[in-house]
Amino acid sequence: MKRKYLSAALLAAALCLSALTACADNQPYTKSAFTFDTFITLTIYESESADSPEEICEGAVDMLTSLDEELSRTNPDSVIYALNKEGYNAPVEVSNTTYQLIKSCKDLSELTDGAFDFTLGEISSLWGFGKDNGKKPDDTALAELAGRKNYDNLTFDDESRTIGFTEEGFSVDLGAAAKGYALDMLDSYLRKAGVTSAVVDFGGSILTIGKKGEYSWNISVTADESDSPVGTLAVNDGFIATSNGAKRFVEYDGVKYHHIIDPFTAYPADSGIKSCTVYAANGLISDALSTAFFVMGQEKAEQFYEKYKIAEYIITLDDGTVKTSDGIAADFRATKNG
Ligand code: AMP
Ligand code: MG
């Protein structure tokens, strides 16, 4: 099958150039914005809506901006901030969106046996990813927070839509799941608006709607910050998330510590996986599982895959070997080296 290649980096560059103008008929329309602390680029190829692609994209970015305000744990006006601050004293009422998200996150934490643990906020705060804390966290403090599976200490009340904490000393960090969930919201938003063909690059997480004309989307899969992908994945309709240590880290005494934590050690995961990309029919699942597989390591990720079959993976090991799950092998074309 003839394939057209789409590199996330090239896409972003090309899209930035055209971001200010609505394109002529039959040309894709692109909008770039900054939300969830990252760049997003939406490209609409086909739409059956009476609204212009420009209007649809504007509405989409507004929707994402409000969601970001709601889910950020650093924004003092956000519901997650309130939950982290007050959840132990009294259950906190949250929006339906947040309620469903936190419940799904708890399910995914249980399903992955805590490899994805969205209640490790105290650990990520100690490490200080994204800011300079100046000092490596104390081993004893980390040991106290390790392996606590705090998601077991959440209470839910469906009627009052409140969430509470039964223990003190933990907080919610949606960093491994919020972008995926936002892409789920975006997918519904765009489809409801009449969009039938689109691709979104959300800081490296990808949403595809429909096909690119008669072709599948060919998405570059990268394992680090270099421009050379490990391969391309041909997909229609779906979500792709990638977790690796290259994107975010802190440096203490000349040593780099990346941002994906093994909740059982409270240290950056060191499972033998350099990068993990997950493709799923759901954005939250693709995001949470890319993080979870990175923590689990290839063997456990494969067992999880065989057991649940809810997502496909492309795993690059520390030695550069690339492993793909069975369901995606035929759609993945590895980059030829040399
Ligand atoms: P991602 O890039 O999707 O793998 O998410 C990583 C971000 O999620 C980090 O920056 C932390 O805020 C948070 N995080 C780190 N480790 C985990 C984990 N094991 N489970 C859930 N969230 C995590
Ligand atoms: Mg993730």
Side-chain angles (χ1 to χ4, degrees), residues 183 204-208 219-221 233 235 238-242 277-280 282-283 286-287 314:
L183 282 179
S205 292
I206 308 287
L207 156 67
T208 63
I219 307 297
S220 285
V221 177
L233 181 65
V235 291
F239 301 81
I240 298 170
T242 295
T277 295
V278 169
Y279 169 71
N282 173 284
S286 71
D287 199 353
I314 297 155

Side-chain angles (χ1 to χ4, degrees), residues 73 109 112 114-121 123-125 129-130 173-180 205 241-245 247-248 258-264 267-269 276 286-292 294-295:
R73 73 183 176 124
S109 292
T112 60
F116 165 77
D117 180 350
F118 71 108
T119 55
L120 51 54
I123 302 176
S124 44
S125 294
F129 304 112
D173 171 358
L174 294 171
K179 268 200 295 166
S205 292
T242 295
S243 289
N244 60 48
K247 290 180 194 159
R248 230 169 156 223
H258 67 73
H259 69 135
I260 305 175
I261 307 286
D262 179 340
F264 300 96
Y267 274 80
C276 177
S286 71
D287 199 353
L289 289 189
S290 69
T291 309
F294 186 95
V295 170

